[in-house]
Every structure is written in structure tokens, then in C-alpha cells.
């Protein structure tokens, strides 16, 4: 089943942000059992977050993030049907929400769906994995682990790789509640064939380029077509040169602006850092964390368009190539997204990740600095993104400043839900591989490797 | 390469003063600000620098955030220090990062922890005194204490480490209370002159950029870690942080009897008898080294004292699956070397962005017979480490490595020695062929009894503090 994202951004009524914030805090302080909204009842929901943002448009907005199995409409309908009162209580603070008299389920779903801005870049660690499969496979590993403990503690238990594996297979077969384990669901096409699809996508423009070069310079092509081809080539080269010059000019203006930045970034960050306490109060409660960040897109159409292109390219790679547990080389993201705000002046980043903020940002800088620079170099705040050169160099490699920039762009997540808060991306992968190998025909080294998964 | 400005850097950065068996750590509370400023300025002349540790006695000094405020650093300047230092070790969210919960809760600490009995417990400064012999040691302690009294500075808490037991037996390195040789694996500070002794793979593993430990030099990213300023209108104020470091001090009590009881109970023969060899092996599996210090990666069958100081190893090639040294063993968590990630070279580079120079000492008398039960006396380690970035180095090691249940692809276990285990006891996996062994119900072996983050200023910065005017 396909995973999808919704990002519902709704303006908050004047003067109501504090009451709405208090409500979200109440939900967030007990995400499982609060009296308003229990996300756990929605079996299609991987992650959700709710937060208010002051500086993401003309007026403060409420952001509702969802990461789902299946299309958003199905989830939103279920949400309104099963938790309509909570939706009313939350969205009653927002502009244009249907008045109490006209809150038919359809109208509410329409309201939510019409404010959904989706995602420009959407990353899913393990496309195709449903919430229920993730639960089931963890249960399977726990059960096999218990069987292994029992076998090892039995004086006459199995002691070789082959015998142990046979005993565990037998144990699973003997338990009818684990009958599902042997039927391996197919992996989505883009996970299996993504790289080939990428090549296929790249081929036509490449072929066109070669054909153009050929007709521009080969003797065999006619005079007219030769000159036509040369004209087109010149156009392409000119356009690329123009974009490059424009980019360098923008970067130089930015660098000048940064040198004159007042106060300098360290002072700006020191001033901001009073707000740090508020952000970290719910961090590191478990092994996963959430981060919401809002930055201002630099002025001018060029930066906005460039950002859109970068997000589109990264999204394409996230769909086709980075769909096996890593975004670039970053192994710690379950679901992440970048989306441009409705006023097209802000970049919203929402991510659900393993480990601490510090280790996450270190992963960003150490493992994927180019891609992240290409995104955030188009944005700014009081601290400022460290200067990029040629869009992808420098930038995030300035470790202290990039961390300061990311921290100061962060907005506190008021309510955050994770369906499987105790599992990391790598745990999920290991569980998946354990199930896939359970009844597979494995040679001795592969069987040893399989046993190491327990 | 930039050479370390040794004359301005406090000696603790480059030396643990191994030749000075006697030491005493005084946790101080400053009184009158003007008196404290005079004290610190005069102290700068007596403080031991990194140039050449003195023969008979050494003195180093560090300040907490509240100590800096007390001595006259104003709010705007204090904001130039990192959040970790300003908030202190006992901030509620840092408790989660450091694992200071339950019995290790800062509310129960003997010292430090901003929330404990604020008047008695709050610490402004740390004075570290070392002596090579009884006479010089007594002299320096008496002299410094008299000067503290003159400056209206009170001693809040006093830690008197003992010479490391077993030093002679294992040569350069000491033995901590659980009985294991400690301190073999230390990063070598580039530019300190000490890196000349290392070459090849050992240099690649062990020589770390100067800026990872001392502010004002390129760090592991080739950049300057921002340093704090105090009164930026003067040159010495702008350079206040240069040649300074951050110092982490934690008093960690060790339950030696509990540790050996646990090992004994989980290594008995089928008939329920104690099995010395199996007990020693299990201890080694938790630590990652045998008692002598010999690493399991190299000496995986039995202890080999000849390898007691061996530090020339990685995990990727020798033991990728933890079947020699378990993935969650103490030394593998505190320094995973090249073992995390697919590319060993890159993994080593990344792990080296989180290194600590350790300068701790043991305290409390050794337990005579660890298997004979507890004697009710406190003993443990005064953990001290030097780094330039508290969050990226010390806190990262503590949270993302030691206390991380998911470290190296594991599921639900923490550092078997250090971690505060859950109420029902912790888990521990010993990887083996054909299958792993799993221990459950691990108790806590270590309890935090006190701690604080300090700034360890350069000598010029100490003098600069003396010039501050009352605000």
C-alpha cells in the first residue's frame, strides 16, 4: 500500500493562537490517552503532528502533518467520523471552518482536504510497509527470540546453525497466529526497479542531446538542420550559462549581506537561544524525535523557482532511489517532508527521526551536506544559513553555524504521535529481513547471517 | 599545522599528571565578587600550563556558568557560552540525555546540580590540586586553602582521589574499582607534540584535531568552534575563549560487590557452582577488555597481559558482528572506532568527531574481596573529561552511544556498566555463533553522585577575569 503525506495549513482566528496552543499542548502532553484525540485508533497512521506557527504567512497558522497508509481522503473521512468532536474543538479556532450549524462530515473533510498542501519532497524510509506489518514483524521477532532462548536453555536443544534454524522454523509453523509470516508481500515497483526507472527517465533527454549534437556537427546532416541544431544547442548552453551567472550573482549578494549582517550570527543565535528551553522540554523522551522547521525563502523569483526545482529533484530521487532506509546516506529518518507554504514565502520542514537532535543534525552535515545545502541555501532567518557556493558546496559543512541555523528555525511541535515509538528505521529493516529469510532457501553463511538478526 | 599555544593552555588538557599520585579536587562557592576576581587573577600565576607540567605540584582551575556570573560576567556575555554550560548538567532535559534518573537524579546529588539545596550544593568553581609526594602536596593544599579563606571562598565539597590501585602491576595505566585497567585509549591532541609518537593506522585512529579539545584551533570539520567572549570591547575580552576548553566532571559511585555478584550468578556451572574462568570471561564481555586491558577483539579466548596496553585495533575488519567484543560492550559504545556504518574509513572519521580526553581518577578505598559482599563504603570514579563542544562530544557519547538502546542496530539495551537501567532491569546481548546469548535483569552498577559542566579558561583569560569591573 502506498504511503502518503498530508500537510494541512489553516490560518488561526485572530487572538485564538494561545487557546489553540494550550489545547494542542494538552493533547501532546498525553498523546496516547488525552481526552480529545487518540491517534492510536487510526490503524493507517504512522506519524502525525500538530503545531502552531506564527511566522509562516500573513497570520499565524495551524499545521497538521500526517504520514499514512493509503490516500489522505480515506484517513480524513475516518478522522471526522470517529473523532469529529476533537476536529471541531481544534479547528473551531481556525478561520473559515464551517459554522456549528453546517458541520456535516462532508463539509469538514472538504475543509481539511482543501487546505492540504501535501509535500514538495516526501521521503519514506520503507515504502510499502504498512503500520500493521511493522507491528506484526516486531511481534514475530519477539516470538522467534523467545523460541531461541528456550532452545538454548534446553540441555538437549539444538546447537548448530542448521538445527537451530530448523527448530525456529518449526516453532513458527506450529503457531497458527503466525501463519501470515510465510507469505511475503511483494515490494513496490519503485523499490525494486527505481534505479532502472531513473535511468529510463534520463535516457530520452540524453538521446535527444546526442541527436542534437550529431545533427549540429555531423557532415551527413543537411545544412538547414545543422544550423537549426546549432541554434538550439546555443540556446541551451546560453540558458545554462545564464542560470549559472545568475546563481553566482545571487550568492555574491548573499555573501555581502551576510558580512554586513547585524548582529552577527553568533550574537543573533545567543539572543534567540532563550527559546531553546521551550524546544527541548519534550525531546529525547523516547528513541525517536520530531522536528518542525520554518524558514523564510530568500526574496525574488529566482530563489523560489530554484528551490522548487531542487525539491522536485530530491523528491524524484526519494521516490526512485532513496527508498531503502536512507535519504542520501542518512539512516535515521522514518518520514520527512519539505513543503513550500501557501504564501510561497516560507519553507516548512517536518521530520520524524531516530535519535537525538544533535545526532540527527550531525548526520545531515556528515552524510548529506550537498543536498541539504541545495535546499536551505535558498532560505534565511536571523542567524542565516551558512553561505553556499555553486548551490551545493560549503553551506551545511559549516557545522556550528548550520546547527545554529537549524535550531533557530525550529518551531516547537505541540502534539506528536508515533505509531511505533520504540522502533528505529534499522530495527524495521532487520525485522523485515528476518521475516523474508525465515522460510527462504539459505546456504550456510546466509543462515548464519539470518541467525544474527535475532 | 597550528601548534598548541602551550603556555596559555591549562596543563590538564595535555596531561593527567600521571606522575602525581596525590590529588584533591575542591568544589568552590565564591563570595565577594571583587575578592574572587583578585583571587583568580593571582591564581593565574600559579596555574600549571601545558608547557611543561611541574615536577612537584600542579594546579588547575575551572568555572561553572554561575561562577562566571558571580565573578562579574554579565548576562549578554554569558549568552556567548554554549547552552549546555549555561543550563548546567542538571537541566531536566539533560537528565534524559545523560541518563541521570532514578538513583542518579540530580536532586539526590552530593554536589552540583542546580536544583539541589541551592546554597550548599551550588558550585562556582573547581580547583584541582596535585602533588608528587606527601610534603609538596600538603604544602600546596594548605597554601591554596589559606588563599581561598582570604578571598571569602568556601569549599562546598571535597573529593580526595586515591592513587590508582594496581598502577605498578599494569605499568602506565591504573585500574578502576571493578578491577579493570583503565585509560588505554586516549585521543592525542594534534599540535601538542605528543602525536609524534604515533604513526600509520594508530595516528589515523588516535590523533585528533586541536580544536576538538581547545578553542581557537581548527576542529574536526576544519573550522573554529565559536568561543565565548567576555567584554568584547577589549582584545583580551574578544579572545576570552581562546585556549580554553570545557570540562565535564561527574562523581560516579560504583557498586563493586553488585557487579561481581551479578557476574558470579550468571556464570555458574550447570551444578550451580562458581566458575572463575567463566566469570572473568563474562566480565570481559561486558567491558570489551579483560582485566589486564587486553582487548577482546585481539585476545578473544583468554586474558593476555602482554596485550594490556594494546590499542591498535578496529572493529570493522576484526569483529564486524560483535562475536568477539559484543556490539554493546562498554568500550565499543564509548568509542566505536570504525565499527558504525558501511565504510570503515568514513566511520572512523565520523566517530572521531566525538572524542573525549579523559582525566578522571578513582576515589574511595578498594573493596578487599568483591565476591564477599559490600562494605557499605562509597567508592567510584571521578570522571573528568576535556572537550571543545559539550553537545557534540560528551553529551553525544553519553546519549547516542552509551545510553542509546538502539546503538549499532541493537533493540533494547544500554551500556552495561554505566547506564541507569529500567526498573525491571536491563538487557544485554552477547553475540556469538551460532546464536547470541541474552542477559536480562541487569541492575545498575554505577550511580551519579554529583556533577557539573565547567569552563577551563586559558591563563590569559583567567587574568582577564581579574580585570572585570563591577557592573
Amino acid at each position: 500500500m502506498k504511503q502518503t503525506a498530508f500537510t494541512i495549513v489553516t490560518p488561526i482566528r485572530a487572538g485564538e493562537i494561545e487557546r489553540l496552543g494550550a489545547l494542542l499542548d494538552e493533547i501532546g502532553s498525553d498523546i496516547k490517552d488525552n481526552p480529545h484525540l487518540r491517534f492510536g485508533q487510526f490503524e493507517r497512521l504512522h506519524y502525525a503532528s500538530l503545531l502552531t506557527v506564527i511566522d509562516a504567512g500573513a497570520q499565524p497558522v495551524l499545521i497538521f502533518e500526517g504520514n499514512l497508509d493509503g490516500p489522505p481522503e480515506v484517513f480524513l473521512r475516518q478522522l471526522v467520523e470517529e473523532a469529529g468532536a476533537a476536529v471541531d474543538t481544534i479547528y473551531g479556532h481556525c478561520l473559515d471552518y464551517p459554522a456549528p450549524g453546517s458541520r456535516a462530515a462532508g463539509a469538514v473533510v472538504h475543509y481539511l482536504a482543501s487546505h492540504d498542501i501535501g509535500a514538495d519532497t516526501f521521503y519514506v524510509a520503507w515504502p510499502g510497509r504498512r503500520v500493521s506489518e511493522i507491528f506484526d514483524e516486531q511481534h514475530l521477532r519477539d516470538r522467534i527470540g523467545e523460541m531461541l532462548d528456550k532452545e538454548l536453555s534446553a540441555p538437549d536443544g539444538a546447537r548448530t546453525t542448521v538445527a537451530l534454524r530448523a527448530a525456529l522454523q518449526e516453532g513458527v509453523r506450529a503457531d497458527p497466529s503466525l501463519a501470515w509470516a510465510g507469505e511475503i508481500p511483494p515490494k513496490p515497483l519503485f523499490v525494486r526497479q527505481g534505479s532502472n526507472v531513473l535511468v529510463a527517465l534520463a535516457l530520452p533527454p540524453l538521446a535527444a542531446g546526442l541527436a542534437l549534437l550529431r545533427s549540429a556537427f555531423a557532415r551527413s546532416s543537411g545544412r538547414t538542420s545543422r544550423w537549426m541544431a546549432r541554434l538550439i544547442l546555443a540556446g541551451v548552453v546560453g540558458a545554462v550559462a545564464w542560470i549559472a551567472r545568475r546563481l553566482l550573482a545571487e550568492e555574491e549578494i548573499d555573501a555581502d549581506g551576510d558580512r554586513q549582517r547585524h548582529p552577527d550570527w553568533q550574537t543573533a543565535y545567543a539572543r534567540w537561544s532563550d527559546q531553546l528551553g521551550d524546544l527541548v522540554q519534550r525531546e529525547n523522551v523516547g528513541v525517536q524525535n520530531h522536528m518542525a522547521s520554518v524558514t523564510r525563502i530568500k526574496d525574488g523569483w529566482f530563489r523560489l523557482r530554484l528551490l522548487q526545482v531542487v525539491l522536485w529533484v530530491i523528491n524524484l530521487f526519494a521516490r526512485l532511489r532513496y527508498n531503502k532506509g536512507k535519504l542520501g546516506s542518512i539512516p535515521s529518518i522514518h518520514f520527512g517532508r519539505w513543503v513550500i507554504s501557501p504564501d510561497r514565502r516560507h519553507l516548512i520542514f517536518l521530520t520524524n527521526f531516530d535519535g537525538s537532535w544533535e545526532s540527527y543534525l550531525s548526520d545531515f552535515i556528515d552524510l548529506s551536506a550537498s543536498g541539504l545545502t541545495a535546499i536551505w541555501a535558498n532560505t534565511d532567518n536571523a542567524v542565516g544559513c551558512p553561505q553556499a557556493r555553486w548551490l551545493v558546496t560549503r553551506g551545511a559543512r559549516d557545522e556550528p553555524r548550520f546547527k545554529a541555523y537549524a535550531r533557530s528555525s525550529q518551531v516547537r511541535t505541540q502534539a506528536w504521535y508515533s505509531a511505533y515509538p520504540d522502533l528505529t528505521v534499522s530495527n524495521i529493516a532487520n525485522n523485515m529481513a528476518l521475516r523474508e529469510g525465515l522460510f527462504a532457501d539459505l546456504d550456510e553463511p546466509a543462515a548464519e547471517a539470518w541467525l544474527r538478526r535475532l | 599545522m597550528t601548534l598548541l599555544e602551550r603556555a596559555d593552555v591549562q596543563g590538564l588538557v595535555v596531561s593527567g599528571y600521571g606522575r602525581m599520585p596525590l590529588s584533591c579536587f575542591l568544589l568552590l562557592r565564591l563570595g565577594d565578587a571583587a575578592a574572587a576576581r583578585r583571587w583568580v587573577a593571582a591564581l593565574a600565576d600559579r596555574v600549571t600550563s601545558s608547557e611543561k607540567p611541574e615536577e612537584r605540584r600542579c594546579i588547575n582551575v575551572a568555572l561553572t556558568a554561575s561562577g562566571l556570573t558571580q565573578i562579574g560576567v554579565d548576562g549578554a556575555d554569558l549568552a556567548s557560552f554554549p547552552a549546555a554550560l549555561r543550563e548546567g548538567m542538571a537541566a531536566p532535559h539533560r537528565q534524559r540525555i545523560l541518563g541521570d534518573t532514578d538513583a542518579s537524579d540530580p536532586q539526590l546529588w552530593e554536589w552540583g546540580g542546580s536544583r539541589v539545596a541551592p546554597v550548599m550544593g551550588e558550585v562556582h568553581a573547581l580547583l584541582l590540586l596535585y602533588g608528587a609526594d606527601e610534603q609538596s602536596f600538603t604544602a600546596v593544599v594548605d597554601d591554596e586553602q589559606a588563599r581561598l579563606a582570604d578571598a571569602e571562598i568556601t569549599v562546598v565539597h571535597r573529593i580526595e582521589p586515591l592513587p590508582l590501585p594496581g598502577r605498578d602491576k599494569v605499568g602506565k595505566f591504573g585500574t578502576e574499582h571493578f578491577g579493570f585497567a583503565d585509560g588505554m585509549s586516549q585521543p592525542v591532541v594534534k599540535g601538542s607534540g605528543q602525536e609524534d609518537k604515533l604513526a600509520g593506522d594508530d595516528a589515523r585512529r588516535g590523533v585528533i584535531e586541536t580544536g576538538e579539545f581547545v578553542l581557537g584551533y581548527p576542529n574536526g570539520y576544519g573550522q573554529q568552534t565559536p568561543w565565548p567572549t567576555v567584554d568584547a570591547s577589549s582584545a583580551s575580552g574578544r579572545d576570552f575563549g581562546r585556549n580554553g576548553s570545557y570540562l565535564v566532571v561527574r562523581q560516579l559511585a560504583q557498586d563493586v560487590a553488585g557487579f561481581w555478584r551479578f557476574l558470579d550468578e550468571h556464570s555458574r556451572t550447570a551444578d550451580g557452582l562458581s566458575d572463575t574462568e567463566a566469570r572473568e570471561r563474562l566480565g570481559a564481555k561486558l567491558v570489551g577488555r579483560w582485566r589486564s586491558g587486553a582487548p577482546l577483539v585481539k585476545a578473544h579466548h583468554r586474558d593476555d597481559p602482554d596485550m594490556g596496553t594494546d590499542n591498535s585495533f578496529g572493529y570493522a575488519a576484526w569483529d564486524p558482528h560483535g562475536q568477539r567484543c559484543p556490539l554493546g560492550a562498554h568500550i565499543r559504545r564509548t568509542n566505536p572506532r570504525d565499527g558504525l556504518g558501511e565504510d570503515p574509513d568514513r566511520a572512523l572519521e565520523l566517530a572521531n568527531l566525538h572524542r573525549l580526553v579523559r582525566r578522571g581518577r578513582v576515589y574511595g578505598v578498594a573493596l578487599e574481596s568483591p565476591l564477599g559482599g559490600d562494605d557499605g563504603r562509597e567508592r567510584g570514579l571521578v570522571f573528568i573529561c576535556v572537550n571543545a563542544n559539550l553537545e557534540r562530544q560528551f553529551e553525544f557519547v553519553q546519549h547516542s552511544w552509551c545510553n542509546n538502546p538502539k546503538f549499532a542496530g541493537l533493540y533494547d539495551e544500554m551500556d552495561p556498566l554505566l547506564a541507569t537501567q529500567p526498573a525491571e532491569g536491563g538487557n544485554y546481548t552477547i553475540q556469538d555463533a551460532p546464536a547470541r546469548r541474552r542477559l536480562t535483569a541487569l541492575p545498575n552498577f554505577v550511580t551519579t553522585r554529583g556533577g557539573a559542566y565547567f569552563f577551563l579558561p586559558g591563563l590569559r583569560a583567567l587574568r582577564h577575569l581579574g580585570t572585570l569591573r563591577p557592573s
Side-chain angles (χ1 to χ4, degrees):
Chain A
M1 189 179 282
K2 193 178 168 186
Q3 279 64 48
T4 63
F6 66 74
T7 313
I8 298 169
V9 182
T10 47
I12 301 168
R13 286 174 196 273
E16 303 222 358
I17 185 167
E18 262 148 43
R19 269 194 290 168
L20 175 57
L23 172 66
L24 299 183
D25 275 333
E26 195 193 332
I27 294 173
S29 66
D30 187 3
I31 199 73
K32 271 171 76 182
D33 294 319
N34 72 83
H36 303 286
L37 185 53
R38 293 180 192 174
F39 287 111
Q41 74 190 77
F42 303 101
E43 71 281 357
R44 290 163 173 272
L45 186 62
H46 290 258
Y47 290 91
S49 75
L50 283 159
L51 57 143
T52 60
V53 184
I54 295 172
D55 301 315
Q59 66 237 87
V61 294
L62 167 66
I63 297 179
F64 180 15
E65 168 206 8
N67 299 276
L68 308 166
D69 291 326
E73 296 71 36
V74 176
F75 170 82
L76 292 176
R77 223 173 296 133
Q78 192 194 357
L79 176 75
V80 171
E81 271 164 27
E82 294 178 15
V87 175
D88 289 345
T89 318
I90 294 168
Y91 282 94
H93 296 285
C94 293
L95 275 178
D96 304 326
Y97 189 66
S102 51
R103 277 181 194 163
V108 172
V109 172
H110 175 75
Y111 172 84
L112 296 174
S114 64
H115 286 86
D116 175 15
I117 56 170
D120 290 285
T121 301
F122 182 43
Y123 168 77
V124 181
W126 299 110
R129 288 280 115 173
R130 283 178 289 130
V131 175
S132 55
E133 275 171 321
I134 291 171
F135 283 146
D136 287 346
E137 286 169 0
Q138 176 59 33
H139 175 68
L140 179 68
R141 182 176 183 275
D142 288 342
R143 289 285 297 116
I144 300 179
E146 289 162 16
M147 293 174 202
L148 177 61
D149 286 335
K150 221 172 121 190
E151 196 66 29
L152 291 174
S153 60
D156 56 346
R159 289 293 180 271
T160 65
T161 301
V162 174
L164 274 172
R165 194 167 134 79
L168 298 175
Q169 287 170 330
E170 192 45 46
V172 173
R173 278 202 197 92
D175 185 345
S177 76
L178 299 177
W180 53 269
E183 287 162 40
I184 311 298
K187 288 205 161 75
L189 176 72
F190 282 178
V191 175
R192 282 180 285 126
Q193 297 290 341
S195 296
N196 294 338
V197 177
L198 261 185
V199 173
L201 282 176
L203 275 179
L206 230 109
L210 280 176
L212 206 60
L213 273 172
R214 219 188 108 152
S215 33
F217 299 108
R219 284 166 186 281
S220 57
S221 43
R223 198 185 148 95
T224 327
S225 63
R226 198 153 66 216
W227 280 105
M228 277 297 286
R230 286 183 183 179
L231 207 65
I232 297 172
L233 265 182
V236 171
V237 170
V240 169
W242 185 86
I243 293 171
R245 262 191 66 177
R246 175 71 195 251
L247 175 66
L248 280 192
E250 293 270 342
E251 288 180 346
E252 240 153 71
I253 294 169
D254 289 347
D256 271 347
D258 198 49
R259 276 189 285 275
Q260 288 157 26
R261 191 178 281 273
H262 190 79
D264 63 87
W265 75 264
Q266 290 177 41
T267 310
Y269 183 63
R271 282 183 194 167
W272 172 87
S273 63
D274 286 348
Q275 299 170 43
L276 193 60
D278 220 24
L279 283 179
V280 296
Q281 59 175 320
R282 280 211 212 114
E283 269 181 15
N284 301 321
V285 173
V287 297
Q288 297 176 359
N289 280 300
H290 185 262
M291 176 181 176
S293 144
V294 178
T295 44
R296 191 172 55 73
I297 299 169
K298 286 175 177 168
D299 292 339
W301 67 269
F302 183 79
R303 284 293 188 181
L304 176 63
R305 289 280 171 241
L306 187 59
L307 177 61
Q308 284 173 324
V309 171
V310 170
L311 292 179
W312 183 84
V313 171
I314 296 180
N315 189 55
L316 186 72
F317 274 77
R319 291 284 302 279
L320 298 176
R321 194 179 149 93
Y322 299 135
N323 49 22
K324 293 168 205 70
K326 286 182 183 175
L327 175 59
S329 311
I330 305 173
S332 44
I333 312 175
H334 289 266
F335 286 85
R337 76 188 61 184
W338 285 267
V339 54
I340 293 172
S341 68
D343 74 350
R344 301 169 78 72
R345 299 176 67 89
H346 297 87
L347 176 65
I348 302 168
F349 172 57
L350 302 166
T351 175
N352 302 273
F353 61 94
D354 294 327
S356 70
W357 187 93
E358 180 71 30
S359 79
Y360 187 52
L361 261 287
S362 290
D363 279 355
F364 270 25
I365 294 161
D366 301 338
L367 304 174
S368 217
S370 300
L372 299 172
T373 301
I375 295 175
W376 270 299
N378 298 301
T379 66
D380 200 7
N381 72 4
V383 171
C385 185
Q387 292 303 307
R389 189 76 173 160
W390 291 110
L391 192 61
V392 294
T393 68
R394 301 185 197 170
R397 290 165 190 85
D398 183 347
E399 182 246 359
R401 183 164 179 187
F402 189 72
K403 282 181 181 164
Y405 180 60
R407 242 334 174 189
S408 62
S409 78
Q410 201 175 341
V411 180
R412 188 164 69 87
T413 305
Q414 284 155 306
W416 176 55
Y417 170 77
S418 164
Y420 33 86
D422 296 328
L423 292 178
T424 58
V425 173
S426 93
N427 287 158
I428 292 170
N430 186 56
N431 294 350
M432 209 158 78
L434 184 78
R435 175 188 179 184
E436 285 168 358
L438 176 59
F439 294 114
D441 184 16
L442 304 180
D443 59 15
E444 180 99 15
E448 283 166 6
W450 182 83
L451 270 175
R452 286 198 297 267
R453 299 190 176 281
L454 287 164
Chain B
M1 186 183 69
T2 329
L3 282 179
L4 188 67
E5 238 185 293
R6 300 173 65 127
D8 197 40
V9 176
Q10 293 203 42
L12 196 63
V13 173
V14 298
S15 173
Y17 306 130
R19 277 180 295 170
M20 311 228 169
L22 302 172
S23 56
C24 166
F25 304 155
L26 302 176
L27 294 147
L28 308 176
R29 193 174 157 73
L30 307 179
D32 177 62
R37 284 194 289 270
R38 283 193 299 275
W39 168 74
V40 84
L43 181 63
D45 294 333
R46 303 191 300 280
V47 158
T48 310
S49 77
S50 293
E51 211 156 31
K52 188 166 177 283
E54 291 170 43
E55 297 290 318
R56 309 252 55 95
R57 59 152 194 68
C58 288
I59 302 175
N60 282 140
V61 65
L63 293 145
T64 62
S66 52
L68 289 161
T69 303
Q70 182 68 21
I71 213 162
V73 173
D74 71 23
D77 283 335
L78 196 68
S80 69
F81 286 82
L85 186 90
R86 291 195 319 259
E87 293 172 3
M89 194 181 274
H93 72 101
R94 299 219 126 74
Q95 267 178 268
R96 295 196 294 268
I97 290 175
L98 302 176
D100 289 330
T101 55
D102 306 312
S104 292
D105 193 306
Q107 300 208 32
L108 304 171
W109 288 1
E110 283 178 34
W111 61 273
S114 49
R115 294 183 306 155
V116 248
V119 181
M120 282 309 295
E122 194 180 14
V123 165
H124 288 155
L126 167 70
L127 190 62
L128 304 123
L129 305 174
Y130 301 84
D133 55 75
E134 199 69 48
Q135 196 188 355
S136 341
F137 183 60
T138 315
V140 69
V141 171
D142 289 350
D143 180 43
E144 291 303 326
Q145 278 187 325
R147 291 170 193 265
L148 291 175
D150 286 348
E152 298 174 37
I153 297 170
T154 34
V155 176
V156 176
H157 190 80
R158 184 189 181 101
I159 304 171
E160 289 181 333
L162 291 171
L164 296 178
R167 270 172 52 85
D168 298 335
K169 209 164 53 189
V170 293
K172 184 180 170 194
F173 307 105
T175 304
E176 52 70 58
H177 279 297
F178 288 142
F180 291 81
D182 192 14
M184 279 78 67
S185 177
Q186 290 273 23
V188 170
V189 183
K190 198 169 177 178
S192 68
Q194 297 169 345
E195 70 270 34
D196 305 343
K197 295 171 211 148
L198 295 181
D201 272 355
D202 285 337
R204 205 165 56 89
R205 271 192 287 265
V207 179
I208 308 293
E209 292 295 334
T210 324
E212 290 292 295
F213 307 104
V214 187
L215 298 169
Y217 301 83
N219 63 21
Y221 288 100
Q223 286 157 344
Q224 299 281 354
T225 301
W227 66 71
T229 55
V230 169
D231 178 18
S233 62
S234 67
S236 60
R238 278 192 296 280
D239 275 353
F240 182 79
R242 201 187 272 271
N243 290 325
S245 304
Y246 297 100
L247 199 65
V248 178
V249 181
R250 285 163 75 76
Q251 183 179 338
L252 304 173
Q254 291 171 270
D255 179 5
V256 176
F259 179 72
W260 284 101
R261 188 169 57 239
F262 178 85
L263 294 181
D264 188 53
E265 283 167 5
H266 288 80
S267 59
R268 293 192 171 222
T269 62
D271 310 325
L273 298 172
S274 282
D275 177 342
T276 310
E277 203 186 312
R279 188 171 61 231
E280 293 290 325
R281 179 182 306 279
L282 183 61
K285 285 286 187 182
L286 260 50
V287 174
R289 291 184 188 265
W290 299 91
R291 276 177 189 261
S292 73
L296 280 181
V297 168
K298 287 190 154 177
H300 51 291
H301 292 304
R302 62 193 67 82
D303 197 355
D304 180 354
D306 288 346
M307 288 189 190
T309 57
D310 198 324
N311 200 34
S312 306
F313 63 93
Y315 295 108
W318 298 65
D319 187 25
H321 308 302
Q323 291 171 341
R324 294 179 175 191
C325 175
L327 297 173
H330 175 66
I331 69 156
R332 204 158 172 160
R333 279 184 180 265
T334 46
N335 182 11
R337 299 171 187 239
D338 59 359
L340 294 181
E342 284 152 26
D343 172 4
D345 291 339
R346 184 72 182 133
L348 179 66
E349 280 172 30
L350 294 182
N352 276 345
L353 292 167
H354 311 280
R355 297 297 299 277
L356 308 168
V357 165
R358 291 174 296 146
R359 296 292 182 230
R361 295 201 165 195
V362 299
Y363 72 95
V365 290
L367 185 61
E368 287 278 324
S369 55
L371 286 166
D374 198 15
D375 61 358
R377 299 169 74 175
E378 185 178 326
R379 57 179 57 82
L381 180 77
V382 195
F383 174 86
I384 298 181
C385 76
V386 174
N387 59 184
N389 187 332
L390 289 164
E391 285 166 329
R392 172 159 64 78
Q393 292 171 269
F394 170 67
E395 291 190 343
F396 184 99
V397 170
Q398 192 80 9
H399 184 265
S400 296
W401 289 349
C402 289
N403 289 336
N404 183 0
K406 306 296 186 179
F407 177 80
L410 295 165
Y411 278 69
D412 55 357
E413 58 189 78
M414 296 187 279
D415 187 303
L417 298 191
L418 284 185
T420 301
Q421 303 288 2
E424 69 276 16
N427 302 319
Y428 187 66
T429 312
I430 299 171
Q431 288 80 22
D432 205 346
R436 92 283 182 277
R437 173 180 175 199
R438 196 158 57 175
L439 299 180
T440 55
L442 250 78
N444 290 344
F445 300 125
V446 168
T447 308
T448 314
R449 302 291 293 133
Y453 290 145
F454 297 87
F455 182 62
L456 183 76
L459 271 60
R460 280 198 295 269
L462 284 174
R463 292 192 180 96
H464 178 74
L465 284 177
T467 68
L468 293 182
R469 295 211 193 87
S471 47

